[in-house]
Amino acid sequence: MACAATTPKVWPSRFRPTGPLNPSAYAHNPQKLANEVHGRRMGNTAPGDGFAYRGRGLLQLTGKDSLAERKEWLRRTRAAWP
Protein backbone atom coordinates (compact mmCIF):
# COMPACT_ATOMS: atom_id res chain seq x y z
CA MET A 1 0.00 0.00 0.00
CA ALA A 2 1.45 3.32 -1.06
CA CYS A 3 1.74 6.32 1.19
CA ALA A 4 1.80 9.99 0.23
CA ALA A 5 5.61 10.14 0.49
CA THR A 6 6.21 7.06 -1.71
CA THR A 7 3.76 7.73 -4.53
CA PRO A 8 5.68 10.64 -6.15
CA LYS A 9 8.88 8.57 -6.09
CA VAL A 10 7.26 5.67 -7.95
CA TRP A 11 5.22 7.81 -10.39
CA PRO A 12 6.98 11.21 -10.50
CA SER A 13 5.26 12.36 -13.70
CA ARG A 14 1.82 11.77 -12.21
CA PHE A 15 2.11 13.02 -8.62
CA ARG A 16 3.33 16.26 -7.09
CA PRO A 17 5.78 17.89 -6.87
CA THR A 18 6.44 17.35 -10.62
CA GLY A 19 3.08 15.82 -11.62
CA PRO A 20 -0.42 17.26 -11.35
CA LEU A 21 -1.98 14.86 -8.82
CA ASN A 22 -2.02 15.28 -5.05
CA PRO A 23 -0.50 12.10 -3.53
CA SER A 24 -2.47 12.53 -0.29
CA ALA A 25 -5.71 11.94 -2.20
CA TYR A 26 -4.47 8.47 -3.21
CA ALA A 27 -2.57 7.42 -0.08
CA HIS A 28 -3.93 4.32 1.65
CA ASN A 29 -6.53 3.84 -1.09
CA PRO A 30 -5.14 1.05 -3.31
CA GLN A 31 -8.21 0.85 -5.53
CA LYS A 32 -8.17 4.55 -6.38
CA LEU A 33 -4.40 4.52 -6.90
CA ALA A 34 -4.39 1.45 -9.17
CA ASN A 35 -7.24 2.80 -11.27
CA GLU A 36 -5.36 6.06 -11.73
CA VAL A 37 -1.93 4.67 -12.61
CA HIS A 38 -3.01 1.54 -14.54
CA GLY A 39 -6.36 2.64 -15.94
CA ARG A 40 -6.74 3.63 -19.60
CA ARG A 41 -3.55 1.78 -20.64
CA MET A 42 -2.27 -1.77 -21.12
CA GLY A 43 -5.72 -2.81 -22.35
CA ASN A 44 -7.48 -1.53 -19.25
CA THR A 45 -10.49 0.23 -20.74
CA ALA A 46 -13.44 -0.26 -18.38
CA PRO A 47 -13.83 1.61 -15.10
CA GLY A 48 -12.12 -0.39 -12.36
CA ASP A 49 -9.81 -2.29 -14.75
CA GLY A 50 -6.72 -0.62 -13.27
CA PHE A 51 -7.40 -2.23 -9.91
CA ALA A 52 -8.77 -5.49 -11.31
CA TYR A 53 -5.71 -6.05 -13.51
CA ARG A 54 -3.02 -4.75 -11.14
CA GLY A 55 0.20 -6.74 -10.81
CA ARG A 56 -0.03 -9.62 -8.38
CA GLY A 57 0.81 -13.27 -8.16
CA LEU A 58 4.04 -14.98 -9.09
CA LEU A 59 4.43 -13.27 -12.48
CA GLN A 60 3.16 -9.82 -11.43
CA LEU A 61 1.30 -9.37 -14.72
CA THR A 62 -0.20 -5.90 -14.92
CA GLY A 63 -2.88 -4.95 -17.41
CA LYS A 64 -5.62 -6.77 -19.25
CA ASP A 65 -3.45 -7.11 -22.39
CA SER A 66 -0.58 -8.78 -20.51
CA LEU A 67 -2.91 -11.23 -18.84
CA ALA A 68 -4.59 -12.11 -22.16
CA GLU A 69 -1.20 -12.62 -23.87
CA ARG A 70 0.03 -14.94 -21.10
CA LYS A 71 -3.25 -16.87 -21.09
CA GLU A 72 -3.00 -17.41 -24.86
CA TRP A 73 0.64 -18.50 -24.57
CA LEU A 74 -0.28 -21.01 -21.86
CA ARG A 75 -3.06 -22.43 -24.02
CA ARG A 76 -0.67 -22.87 -26.98
CA THR A 77 2.18 -24.41 -25.01
CA ARG A 78 0.11 -26.58 -22.70
CA ALA A 79 -0.28 -29.26 -25.37
CA ALA A 80 3.51 -29.70 -25.42
CA TRP A 81 3.70 -30.37 -21.67
CA PRO A 82 4.38 -33.99 -20.69
Side-chain angles (χ1 to χ4, degrees):
M1 191 174 314
C3 69
T6 306
T7 323
K9 294 175 184 173
V10 178
W11 296 284
S13 65
R14 294 177 184 259
F15 294 95
R16 295 179 192 152
T18 57
L21 301 174
N22 180 356
S24 297
Y26 296 84
H28 308 293
N29 188 338
Q31 189 167 359
K32 183 177 180 180
L33 179 63
N35 285 326
E36 178 60 43
V37 298
H38 300 308
R40 300 172 311 279
R41 58 191 208 104
M42 299 180 290
N44 298 334
T45 54
D49 276 356
F51 184 72
Y53 296 100
R54 68 197 183 278
R56 57 181 182 244
L58 182 63
L59 298 178
Q60 288 290 305
L61 296 175
T62 303
K64 193 185 289 186
D65 287 346
S66 295
L67 188 62
E69 288 170 13
R70 185 53 54 190
K71 188 190 289 186
E72 182 58 34
W73 177 84
L74 284 170
R75 286 184 177 150
R76 284 192 322 267
T77 60
R78 186 174 169 199
W81 295 354

